[in-house]
Amino acid sequence: MSEAALNLSGIWHGRYFYPVSRPPVPFVATVSEVDSWLTGTIEEKGTTGEARGVALAASIQGRRTGRAVTWLKLYDGRFRLYDSVRYEGDVNEDATEISGRWSIPGNWSGTFLMIRPSGIGETSKVKAVQRA
């Protein structure tokens, strides 16, 4: 896929991983890309404190430069332990995967993987991410 044809708009299924022995957290991201600017939403379940097991919503704003992406995830503010998270990653050649690192400045960081199904054959990748 050429750089000019690269567009990240769509629904992505992913997981982020903690730097400690906690299970990975699945999420669904709905991304819109216009002129390399990224906006969208992320839905996931809370994993700690009063948000444990509660559906959480966050917005994202960021940018794609070539195959590199960065965005800031801002939670809706309902729970004090959920504020903002910075994501940095790389898009694979056919724009069906994004992998990289997330970080909470001054706190901790981990890794993430997102997969966007592109048709037949991608279903197994999505199921693998959902089980990871």
Side-chain angles (χ1 to χ4, degrees), residues 2-39:
S2 72
E3 293 297 319
L6 185 66
N7 187 293
L8 304 181
S9 295
I11 296 178
W12 295 78
H13 298 269
R15 292 207 178 251
Y16 62 84
F17 303 85
Y18 287 106
V20 295
S21 60
R22 285 188 177 182
V25 178
F27 63 88
V28 175
T30 303
V31 177
S32 176
E33 179 179 349
V34 177
D35 295 329
S36 297
W37 292 100
L38 305 173
T39 59

mmCIF file of all heavy atoms in Angstrom, residues 2-39:
data_model
loop_
_atom_site.group_PDB
_atom_site.id
_atom_site.type_symbol
_atom_site.label_atom_id
_atom_site.label_comp_id
_atom_site.label_asym_id
_atom_site.label_seq_id
_atom_site.Cartn_x
_atom_site.Cartn_y
_atom_site.Cartn_z
ATOM 1 N N SER A 2 0.620 2.180 -0.877
ATOM 2 C CA SER A 2 1.446 3.386 -0.938
ATOM 3 C C SER A 2 1.127 4.302 0.236
ATOM 4 O O SER A 2 0.050 4.238 0.829
ATOM 5 C CB SER A 2 1.185 4.122 -2.252
ATOM 6 O OG SER A 2 -0.095 4.726 -2.243
ATOM 7 N N GLU A 3 2.078 5.155 0.538
ATOM 8 C CA GLU A 3 1.867 6.106 1.639
ATOM 9 C C GLU A 3 0.644 6.987 1.377
ATOM 10 O O GLU A 3 -0.101 7.316 2.285
ATOM 11 C CB GLU A 3 3.110 6.981 1.836
ATOM 12 C CG GLU A 3 4.318 6.239 2.335
ATOM 13 C CD GLU A 3 4.134 5.629 3.713
ATOM 14 O OE1 GLU A 3 3.545 6.273 4.605
ATOM 15 O OE2 GLU A 3 4.562 4.489 3.894
ATOM 16 N N ALA A 4 0.435 7.371 0.108
ATOM 17 C CA ALA A 4 -0.700 8.222 -0.232
ATOM 18 C C ALA A 4 -2.027 7.497 0.008
ATOM 19 O O ALA A 4 -3.024 8.125 0.343
ATOM 20 C CB ALA A 4 -0.609 8.670 -1.687
ATOM 21 N N ALA A 5 -2.052 6.172 -0.168
ATOM 22 C CA ALA A 5 -3.283 5.401 0.002
ATOM 23 C C ALA A 5 -3.517 4.984 1.452
ATOM 24 O O ALA A 5 -4.582 4.506 1.796
ATOM 25 C CB ALA A 5 -3.250 4.166 -0.884
ATOM 26 N N LEU A 6 -2.523 5.135 2.296
ATOM 27 C CA LEU A 6 -2.630 4.729 3.690
ATOM 28 C C LEU A 6 -3.663 5.588 4.417
ATOM 29 O O LEU A 6 -3.577 6.812 4.393
ATOM 30 C CB LEU A 6 -1.258 4.867 4.360
ATOM 31 C CG LEU A 6 -1.123 4.377 5.786
ATOM 32 C CD1 LEU A 6 -1.300 2.868 5.842
ATOM 33 C CD2 LEU A 6 0.245 4.741 6.324
ATOM 34 N N ASN A 7 -4.637 4.959 5.024
ATOM 35 C CA ASN A 7 -5.638 5.668 5.818
ATOM 36 C C ASN A 7 -6.068 4.730 6.933
ATOM 37 O O ASN A 7 -6.367 3.565 6.687
ATOM 38 C CB ASN A 7 -6.833 6.076 4.961
ATOM 39 C CG ASN A 7 -7.798 6.951 5.729
ATOM 40 O OD1 ASN A 7 -8.442 6.513 6.685
ATOM 41 N ND2 ASN A 7 -7.904 8.208 5.324
ATOM 42 N N LEU A 8 -6.095 5.228 8.147
ATOM 43 C CA LEU A 8 -6.369 4.394 9.314
ATOM 44 C C LEU A 8 -7.828 4.417 9.750
ATOM 45 O O LEU A 8 -8.165 3.842 10.785
ATOM 46 C CB LEU A 8 -5.458 4.816 10.470
ATOM 47 C CG LEU A 8 -3.966 4.777 10.159
ATOM 48 C CD1 LEU A 8 -3.158 5.186 11.388
ATOM 49 C CD2 LEU A 8 -3.548 3.406 9.669
ATOM 50 N N SER A 9 -8.692 5.062 8.989
ATOM 51 C CA SER A 9 -10.105 5.129 9.351
ATOM 52 C C SER A 9 -10.700 3.729 9.427
ATOM 53 O O SER A 9 -10.417 2.879 8.588
ATOM 54 C CB SER A 9 -10.889 5.949 8.324
ATOM 55 O OG SER A 9 -10.464 7.296 8.342
ATOM 56 N N GLY A 10 -11.501 3.510 10.450
ATOM 57 C CA GLY A 10 -12.182 2.231 10.585
ATOM 58 C C GLY A 10 -12.251 1.771 12.021
ATOM 59 O O GLY A 10 -11.900 2.496 12.949
ATOM 60 N N ILE A 11 -12.703 0.550 12.185
ATOM 61 C CA ILE A 11 -12.827 -0.061 13.510
ATOM 62 C C ILE A 11 -11.644 -0.984 13.722
ATOM 63 O O ILE A 11 -11.319 -1.808 12.864
ATOM 64 C CB ILE A 11 -14.168 -0.809 13.647
ATOM 65 C CG1 ILE A 11 -15.311 0.208 13.538
ATOM 66 C CG2 ILE A 11 -14.218 -1.581 14.968
ATOM 67 C CD1 ILE A 11 -16.684 -0.383 13.597
ATOM 68 N N TRP A 12 -11.004 -0.833 14.861
ATOM 69 C CA TRP A 12 -9.823 -1.607 15.231
ATOM 70 C C TRP A 12 -10.105 -2.360 16.520
ATOM 71 O O TRP A 12 -10.708 -1.810 17.439
ATOM 72 C CB TRP A 12 -8.639 -0.671 15.463
ATOM 73 C CG TRP A 12 -8.192 0.069 14.248
ATOM 74 C CD1 TRP A 12 -8.776 1.174 13.680
ATOM 75 C CD2 TRP A 12 -7.051 -0.227 13.451
ATOM 76 N NE1 TRP A 12 -8.062 1.568 12.582
ATOM 77 C CE2 TRP A 12 -6.996 0.730 12.422
ATOM 78 C CE3 TRP A 12 -6.065 -1.213 13.523
ATOM 79 C CZ2 TRP A 12 -5.997 0.735 11.465
ATOM 80 C CZ3 TRP A 12 -5.064 -1.208 12.570
ATOM 81 C CH2 TRP A 12 -5.035 -0.246 11.555
ATOM 82 N N HIS A 13 -9.640 -3.606 16.605
ATOM 83 C CA HIS A 13 -9.734 -4.402 17.823
ATOM 84 C C HIS A 13 -8.331 -4.523 18.383
ATOM 85 O O HIS A 13 -7.401 -4.826 17.642
ATOM 86 C CB HIS A 13 -10.311 -5.787 17.518
ATOM 87 C CG HIS A 13 -11.702 -5.724 16.977
ATOM 88 N ND1 HIS A 13 -12.804 -5.771 17.796
ATOM 89 C CD2 HIS A 13 -12.158 -5.568 15.718
ATOM 90 C CE1 HIS A 13 -13.889 -5.664 17.038
ATOM 91 N NE2 HIS A 13 -13.528 -5.539 15.781
ATOM 92 N N GLY A 14 -8.196 -4.269 19.668
ATOM 93 C CA GLY A 14 -6.851 -4.307 20.215
ATOM 94 C C GLY A 14 -6.791 -4.762 21.653
ATOM 95 O O GLY A 14 -7.806 -5.084 22.281
ATOM 96 N N ARG A 15 -5.575 -4.768 22.141
ATOM 97 C CA ARG A 15 -5.271 -5.081 23.538
ATOM 98 C C ARG A 15 -4.096 -4.224 23.952
ATOM 99 O O ARG A 15 -3.187 -3.992 23.169
ATOM 100 C CB ARG A 15 -4.878 -6.533 23.713
ATOM 101 C CG ARG A 15 -6.018 -7.486 23.465
ATOM 102 C CD ARG A 15 -5.827 -8.764 24.242
ATOM 103 N NE ARG A 15 -6.960 -9.627 24.015
ATOM 104 C CZ ARG A 15 -7.883 -9.891 24.925
ATOM 105 N NH1 ARG A 15 -7.793 -9.395 26.121
ATOM 106 N NH2 ARG A 15 -8.884 -10.690 24.659
ATOM 107 N N TYR A 16 -4.145 -3.765 25.201
ATOM 108 C CA TYR A 16 -2.929 -3.168 25.746
ATOM 109 C C TYR A 16 -2.471 -4.019 26.909
ATOM 110 O O TYR A 16 -3.257 -4.708 27.558
ATOM 111 C CB TYR A 16 -3.094 -1.682 26.101
ATOM 112 C CG TYR A 16 -4.096 -1.315 27.159
ATOM 113 C CD1 TYR A 16 -3.776 -1.368 28.512
ATOM 114 C CD2 TYR A 16 -5.363 -0.854 26.816
ATOM 115 C CE1 TYR A 16 -4.684 -0.996 29.492
ATOM 116 C CE2 TYR A 16 -6.277 -0.470 27.783
ATOM 117 C CZ TYR A 16 -5.923 -0.547 29.107
ATOM 118 O OH TYR A 16 -6.840 -0.167 30.073
ATOM 119 N N PHE A 17 -1.172 -4.001 27.096
ATOM 120 C CA PHE A 17 -0.527 -4.903 28.045
ATOM 121 C C PHE A 17 0.171 -4.090 29.118
ATOM 122 O O PHE A 17 0.867 -3.114 28.821
ATOM 123 C CB PHE A 17 0.498 -5.792 27.316
ATOM 124 C CG PHE A 17 -0.128 -6.587 26.193
ATOM 125 C CD1 PHE A 17 -0.276 -6.028 24.930
ATOM 126 C CD2 PHE A 17 -0.579 -7.871 26.418
ATOM 127 C CE1 PHE A 17 -0.861 -6.757 23.895
ATOM 128 C CE2 PHE A 17 -1.164 -8.599 25.390
ATOM 129 C CZ PHE A 17 -1.314 -8.041 24.122
ATOM 130 N N TYR A 18 -0.010 -4.499 30.367
ATOM 131 C CA TYR A 18 0.637 -3.832 31.500
ATOM 132 C C TYR A 18 2.080 -4.312 31.648
ATOM 133 O O TYR A 18 2.416 -5.416 31.227
ATOM 134 C CB TYR A 18 -0.117 -4.154 32.791
ATOM 135 C CG TYR A 18 -1.446 -3.447 32.916
ATOM 136 C CD1 TYR A 18 -2.642 -4.133 32.739
ATOM 137 C CD2 TYR A 18 -1.492 -2.092 33.224
ATOM 138 C CE1 TYR A 18 -3.856 -3.486 32.868
ATOM 139 C CE2 TYR A 18 -2.703 -1.434 33.350
ATOM 140 C CZ TYR A 18 -3.881 -2.138 33.173
ATOM 141 O OH TYR A 18 -5.069 -1.491 33.307
ATOM 142 N N PRO A 19 2.919 -3.522 32.313
ATOM 143 C CA PRO A 19 4.313 -3.937 32.535
ATOM 144 C C PRO A 19 4.459 -4.880 33.731
ATOM 145 O O PRO A 19 5.566 -5.245 34.097
ATOM 146 C CB PRO A 19 5.024 -2.604 32.792
ATOM 147 C CG PRO A 19 3.975 -1.746 33.420
ATOM 148 C CD PRO A 19 2.678 -2.149 32.742
ATOM 149 N N VAL A 20 3.341 -5.246 34.330
ATOM 150 C CA VAL A 20 3.330 -6.167 35.472
ATOM 151 C C VAL A 20 2.401 -7.331 35.130
ATOM 152 O O VAL A 20 1.722 -7.310 34.115
ATOM 153 C CB VAL A 20 2.848 -5.457 36.763
ATOM 154 C CG1 VAL A 20 3.836 -4.378 37.181
ATOM 155 C CG2 VAL A 20 1.473 -4.866 36.584
ATOM 156 N N SER A 21 2.370 -8.314 36.001
ATOM 157 C CA SER A 21 1.560 -9.500 35.698
ATOM 158 C C SER A 21 0.074 -9.238 35.939
ATOM 159 O O SER A 21 -0.486 -9.622 36.949
ATOM 160 C CB SER A 21 2.048 -10.696 36.508
ATOM 161 O OG SER A 21 1.939 -10.410 37.884
ATOM 162 N N ARG A 22 -0.530 -8.570 34.987
ATOM 163 C CA ARG A 22 -1.974 -8.361 34.921
ATOM 164 C C ARG A 22 -2.425 -8.836 33.553
ATOM 165 O O ARG A 22 -1.660 -8.778 32.602
ATOM 166 C CB ARG A 22 -2.319 -6.871 35.029
ATOM 167 C CG ARG A 22 -2.194 -6.276 36.383
ATOM 168 C CD ARG A 22 -2.766 -4.872 36.324
ATOM 169 N NE ARG A 22 -2.746 -4.230 37.612
ATOM 170 C CZ ARG A 22 -3.214 -3.026 37.832
ATOM 171 N NH1 ARG A 22 -3.708 -2.312 36.826
ATOM 172 N NH2 ARG A 22 -3.181 -2.504 39.023
ATOM 173 N N PRO A 23 -3.657 -9.265 33.446
ATOM 174 C CA PRO A 23 -4.118 -9.687 32.115
ATOM 175 C C PRO A 23 -4.186 -8.485 31.162
ATOM 176 O O PRO A 23 -4.406 -7.351 31.596
ATOM 177 C CB PRO A 23 -5.506 -10.266 32.376
ATOM 178 C CG PRO A 23 -5.891 -9.879 33.748
ATOM 179 C CD PRO A 23 -4.666 -9.442 34.479
ATOM 180 N N PRO A 24 -4.006 -8.734 29.853
ATOM 181 C CA PRO A 24 -4.143 -7.646 28.880
ATOM 182 C C PRO A 24 -5.578 -7.133 28.863
ATOM 183 O O PRO A 24 -6.510 -7.851 29.235
ATOM 184 C CB PRO A 24 -3.767 -8.292 27.558
ATOM 185 C CG PRO A 24 -3.890 -9.749 27.769
ATOM 186 C CD PRO A 24 -3.703 -10.009 29.234
ATOM 187 N N VAL A 25 -5.744 -5.886 28.435
ATOM 188 C CA VAL A 25 -7.062 -5.251 28.408
ATOM 189 C C VAL A 25 -7.515 -5.109 26.950
ATOM 190 O O VAL A 25 -6.866 -4.420 26.161
ATOM 191 C CB VAL A 25 -7.022 -3.864 29.076
ATOM 192 C CG1 VAL A 25 -8.388 -3.184 29.001
ATOM 193 C CG2 VAL A 25 -6.543 -3.982 30.519
ATOM 194 N N PRO A 26 -8.624 -5.762 26.589
ATOM 195 C CA PRO A 26 -9.137 -5.609 25.224
ATOM 196 C C PRO A 26 -9.850 -4.267 25.061
ATOM 197 O O PRO A 26 -10.414 -3.729 26.018
ATOM 198 C CB PRO A 26 -10.116 -6.768 25.077
ATOM 199 C CG PRO A 26 -10.546 -7.097 26.461
ATOM 200 C CD PRO A 26 -9.409 -6.707 27.372
ATOM 201 N N PHE A 27 -9.816 -3.739 23.857
ATOM 202 C CA PHE A 27 -10.531 -2.504 23.562
ATOM 203 C C PHE A 27 -10.956 -2.490 22.101
ATOM 204 O O PHE A 27 -10.462 -3.265 21.282
ATOM 205 C CB PHE A 27 -9.677 -1.262 23.886
ATOM 206 C CG PHE A 27 -8.416 -1.122 23.075
ATOM 207 C CD1 PHE A 27 -8.414 -0.465 21.853
ATOM 208 C CD2 PHE A 27 -7.217 -1.633 23.552
ATOM 209 C CE1 PHE A 27 -7.245 -0.332 21.116
ATOM 210 C CE2 PHE A 27 -6.046 -1.496 22.833
ATOM 211 C CZ PHE A 27 -6.064 -0.837 21.600
ATOM 212 N N VAL A 28 -11.901 -1.612 21.804
ATOM 213 C CA VAL A 28 -12.327 -1.377 20.423
ATOM 214 C C VAL A 28 -12.154 0.105 20.161
ATOM 215 O O VAL A 28 -12.638 0.942 20.922
ATOM 216 C CB VAL A 28 -13.802 -1.794 20.204
ATOM 217 C CG1 VAL A 28 -14.253 -1.431 18.789
ATOM 218 C CG2 VAL A 28 -13.985 -3.274 20.457
ATOM 219 N N ALA A 29 -11.428 0.417 19.089
ATOM 220 C CA ALA A 29 -11.192 1.807 18.703
ATOM 221 C C ALA A 29 -11.888 2.092 17.382
ATOM 222 O O ALA A 29 -11.798 1.297 16.443
ATOM 223 C CB ALA A 29 -9.700 2.071 18.564
ATOM 224 N N THR A 30 -12.584 3.203 17.329
ATOM 225 C CA THR A 30 -13.166 3.694 16.087
ATOM 226 C C THR A 30 -12.368 4.923 15.697
ATOM 227 O O THR A 30 -12.372 5.919 16.422
ATOM 228 C CB THR A 30 -14.657 4.041 16.273
ATOM 229 O OG1 THR A 30 -15.334 2.876 16.751
ATOM 230 C CG2 THR A 30 -15.281 4.495 14.967
ATOM 231 N N VAL A 31 -11.646 4.820 14.590
ATOM 232 C CA VAL A 31 -10.691 5.854 14.194
ATOM 233 C C VAL A 31 -11.132 6.515 12.895
ATOM 234 O O VAL A 31 -11.602 5.852 11.977
ATOM 235 C CB VAL A 31 -9.278 5.242 14.005
ATOM 236 C CG1 VAL A 31 -8.282 6.283 13.519
ATOM 237 C CG2 VAL A 31 -8.807 4.592 15.297
ATOM 238 N N SER A 32 -10.955 7.827 12.854
ATOM 239 C CA SER A 32 -11.177 8.593 11.634
ATOM 240 C C SER A 32 -9.885 9.331 11.315
ATOM 241 O O SER A 32 -9.322 10.008 12.188
ATOM 242 C CB SER A 32 -12.325 9.584 11.836
ATOM 243 O OG SER A 32 -12.484 10.387 10.681
ATOM 244 N N GLU A 33 -9.411 9.191 10.080
ATOM 245 C CA GLU A 33 -8.207 9.904 9.655
ATOM 246 C C GLU A 33 -8.553 10.845 8.506
ATOM 247 O O GLU A 33 -9.109 10.424 7.494
ATOM 248 C CB GLU A 33 -7.119 8.946 9.194
ATOM 249 C CG GLU A 33 -5.881 9.691 8.719
ATOM 250 C CD GLU A 33 -4.751 8.794 8.260
ATOM 251 O OE1 GLU A 33 -4.819 7.568 8.484
ATOM 252 O OE2 GLU A 33 -3.799 9.336 7.679
ATOM 253 N N VAL A 34 -8.233 12.124 8.680
ATOM 254 C CA VAL A 34 -8.422 13.126 7.648
ATOM 255 C C VAL A 34 -7.130 13.928 7.554
ATOM 256 O O VAL A 34 -6.702 14.536 8.552
ATOM 257 C CB VAL A 34 -9.611 14.067 7.967
ATOM 258 C CG1 VAL A 34 -9.742 15.161 6.910
ATOM 259 C CG2 VAL A 34 -10.907 13.278 8.097
ATOM 260 N N ASP A 35 -6.502 13.904 6.376
ATOM 261 C CA ASP A 35 -5.240 14.624 6.146
ATOM 262 C C ASP A 35 -4.194 14.291 7.205
ATOM 263 O O ASP A 35 -3.519 15.181 7.729
ATOM 264 C CB ASP A 35 -5.474 16.134 6.096
ATOM 265 C CG ASP A 35 -6.338 16.549 4.916
ATOM 266 O OD1 ASP A 35 -6.276 15.875 3.867
ATOM 267 O OD2 ASP A 35 -7.080 17.539 5.045
ATOM 268 N N SER A 36 -4.081 13.025 7.559
ATOM 269 C CA SER A 36 -3.119 12.490 8.537
ATOM 270 C C SER A 36 -3.442 12.830 9.992
ATOM 271 O O SER A 36 -2.690 12.469 10.888
ATOM 272 C CB SER A 36 -1.685 12.937 8.205
ATOM 273 O OG SER A 36 -1.294 12.416 6.953
ATOM 274 N N TRP A 37 -4.543 13.513 10.249
ATOM 275 C CA TRP A 37 -4.970 13.789 11.629
ATOM 276 C C TRP A 37 -5.925 12.691 12.062
ATOM 277 O O TRP A 37 -6.829 12.306 11.324
ATOM 278 C CB TRP A 37 -5.639 15.155 11.745
ATOM 279 C CG TRP A 37 -4.659 16.264 11.526
ATOM 280 C CD1 TRP A 37 -4.476 16.992 10.385
ATOM 281 C CD2 TRP A 37 -3.701 16.740 12.465
ATOM 282 N NE1 TRP A 37 -3.457 17.893 10.558
ATOM 283 C CE2 TRP A 37 -2.963 17.767 11.825
ATOM 284 C CE3 TRP A 37 -3.385 16.407 13.778
ATOM 285 C CZ2 TRP A 37 -1.944 18.453 12.462
ATOM 286 C CZ3 TRP A 37 -2.364 17.089 14.411
ATOM 287 C CH2 TRP A 37 -1.659 18.103 13.756
ATOM 288 N N LEU A 38 -5.739 12.195 13.277
ATOM 289 C CA LEU A 38 -6.533 11.090 13.807
ATOM 290 C C LEU A 38 -7.455 11.575 14.911
ATOM 291 O O LEU A 38 -7.030 12.311 15.815
ATOM 292 C CB LEU A 38 -5.609 10.010 14.378
ATOM 293 C CG LEU A 38 -4.537 9.457 13.441
ATOM 294 C CD1 LEU A 38 -3.603 8.535 14.205
ATOM 295 C CD2 LEU A 38 -5.177 8.745 12.267
ATOM 296 N N THR A 39 -8.700 11.161 14.856
ATOM 297 C CA THR A 39 -9.666 11.384 15.930
ATOM 298 C C THR A 39 -10.445 10.091 16.092
ATOM 299 O O THR A 39 -10.441 9.235 15.214
ATOM 300 C CB THR A 39 -10.642 12.532 15.624
ATOM 301 O OG1 THR A 39 -11.351 12.235 14.420
ATOM 302 C CG2 THR A 39 -9.924 13.871 15.499
#
